[in-house]
Amino acid sequence: VAMAVAVFELNVRRFPDEPNPYDSLAEAYLASGDRKRAVAYYKKALEVDPQFANARQMLERLSAGP
């Protein structure tokens, strides 16, 4: 998971205006158990593209509870 986080952090730096790298980084953080960072990056994906469906769905799921 640590390698995935590193790769997705690189993608976020390379493509800051695309929502998918933020969404992928959020998924990696979620997989690592870091829910707080996952939520932050899902929110960032929505800042970049308010219509980005996966980030919206994941935030709804995470706000519903564990």
Side-chain angles (χ1 to χ4, degrees):
V1 175
M3 181 64 80
V5 168
V7 169
F8 292 133
E9 285 178 344
L10 176 62
N11 280 341
V12 162
R13 288 193 298 274
R14 291 188 69 201
F15 305 102
D17 297 327
E18 296 293 327
N20 194 55
Y22 295 104
D23 184 74
S24 297
L25 183 54
E27 289 176 8
Y29 275 122
L30 191 58
S32 75
D34 192 337
R35 186 183 179 111
K36 184 176 179 178
R37 280 193 176 148
V39 167
Y41 281 106
Y42 282 128
K43 287 180 179 179
K44 181 63 180 173
L46 288 177
E47 286 177 25
V48 173
D49 180 358
Q51 303 303 315
F52 199 75
N54 188 65
R56 182 172 308 286
Q57 291 167 354
M58 290 304 296
L59 282 172
E60 288 171 7
R61 192 168 98 184
L62 290 170
S63 70

